[in-house]
Amino acid sequence: MSARKKRTVVMISGRGSNMASLLEATREDQYPAEIVGVISNRSGAPGLEVARRAGIDNRVIAQDDFAGGEAHDAAIHDALVDMQAEIVCLAGYMRIFTAGFVALWEGRMINIHPSLLPLFRGLNTHRRALEAGMRVHGCTVHFVTAGMDEGPIITQAAVPVHAEDDEASLTARVLSTEHLLYPYALRLVAEGRARMDGARTVYSGVAPSSGALISPSPSEGVVDIESLARMTP
Ligand code: GRF
């Protein structure tokens, strides 16, 4: 790989399965980013152990150790600077940042959210998608701005919702898709092929997708919309 890899820090609060998928992807020679650090706000986050075993610089910066949000965010900022972070990936990080901190990292901080934003911002996205009777659900990677789950969308992946799904089965289907989408999104950002420009993401060198996900499926999986129109019921 000729270009230098972008120094990336992952922030977690829990399990860290998305962090693990990023770690895995970044091990590839040709991948344009490397994970140089992991920050957790919870000392008991299971993902920390994964980072330790991988020999990645891992730090706990817990809110209880600080007088307030600004002091906590200042400590996180100092750690990111110390790690020489160029990109920050939030992966199940369960704290809302102060606007001042977000402004410092704007365009360089991305988050994965388990829904097709702007639908279902916040928590319990899978339960809410089921309650709404959605037949298509998914996940989104977006740039982080001051509004929760509101920043410019970088990429989204849709999955079908099956009639027999419960929260656990839908969660599992979306999560395994997250594990593919996040490395793809980080690649786009690290290569400068997706970048934040005001309220939008602008792209270079990305091909438009084709096809449609129809759910429930008239035949099998993804069909193109034109053949669907020609189908006899
Ligand atoms: C993921 O579903 C992610 O989309 C959301 O929090 C969950 C974190 O899971 N923001 P993990 O810690 O990456 O396993």
Side-chain angles (χ1 to χ4, degrees):
M1 149 125 215
S2 48
R4 195 181 53 75
K5 290 176 182 252
K6 287 273 161 43
R7 296 177 63 85
T8 302
V9 172
V10 185
M11 296 191 61
I12 62 168
S13 297
R15 177 179 54 188
S17 70
N18 276 290
M19 176 206 71
S21 83
L22 290 171
L23 268 176
E24 184 64 33
T26 52
R27 285 197 183 106
E28 192 204 304
D29 260 9
Q30 298 303 310
Y31 197 86
E34 60 177 329
I35 308 299
V36 296
V38 171
I39 295 175
S40 173
N41 63 323
R42 294 196 184 137
S43 58
L48 279 171
E49 186 50 35
V50 180
R52 263 179 223 129
R53 267 188 271 122
I56 308 277
D57 181 352
N58 59 93
R59 306 185 193 185
V60 175
I61 306 178
Q63 54 273 16
D64 291 352
D65 296 339
F66 298 89
E70 281 185 12
H72 186 218
D73 285 356
I76 293 169
H77 178 73
D78 288 348
L80 291 171
V81 170
D82 186 50
M83 290 167 164
Q84 297 172 46
E86 294 171 284
I87 300 175
V88 181
C89 292
L90 306 184
Y93 186 73
M94 303 298 283
R95 289 278 300 173
I96 300 191
F97 294 118
T98 55
F101 173 82
V102 170
L104 288 172
W105 291 91
E106 200 166 271
R108 299 183 288 159
M109 181 177 281
I110 65 178
N111 178 48
I112 187 154
H113 182 76
S115 78
L116 293 173
L117 289 173
L119 287 173
F120 312 122
R121 292 182 169 126
L123 298 174
N124 303 316
T125 56
H126 308 307
R127 191 188 314 158
R128 288 156 64 206
L130 286 169
E131 281 166 5
M134 299 292 293
R135 300 280 56 112
V136 171
H137 184 41
C139 47
T140 302
V141 180
H142 63 96
F143 287 106
V144 175
T145 56
M148 188 182 67
D149 303 327
E150 272 185 15
I153 291 167
I154 300 166
T155 180
Q156 299 185 297
V159 301
V161 181
H162 299 164
E164 61 276 14
D165 268 334
D166 57 16
E167 201 176 340
S169 60
L170 186 55
T171 301
R173 189 173 310 119
V174 174
L175 188 63
S176 59
T177 308
E178 291 182 43
H179 296 160
L180 304 173
L181 191 70
Y182 214 174
Y184 170 60
L186 176 58
R187 176 187 288 279
L188 290 180
V189 173
E191 288 176 346
R193 289 197 287 153
R195 70 189 164 73
M196 185 170 154
D197 183 7
R200 290 270 160 212
T201 300
V202 292
Y203 301 91
S204 54
V206 289
S209 297
S210 58
L213 172 64
I214 314 288
S215 171
S217 173
S219 56
E220 283 203 343
V222 179
V223 295
D224 79 86
I225 203 91
E226 280 155 29
S227 59
L228 183 70
R230 285 195 303 272
M231 271 186 57
T232 44

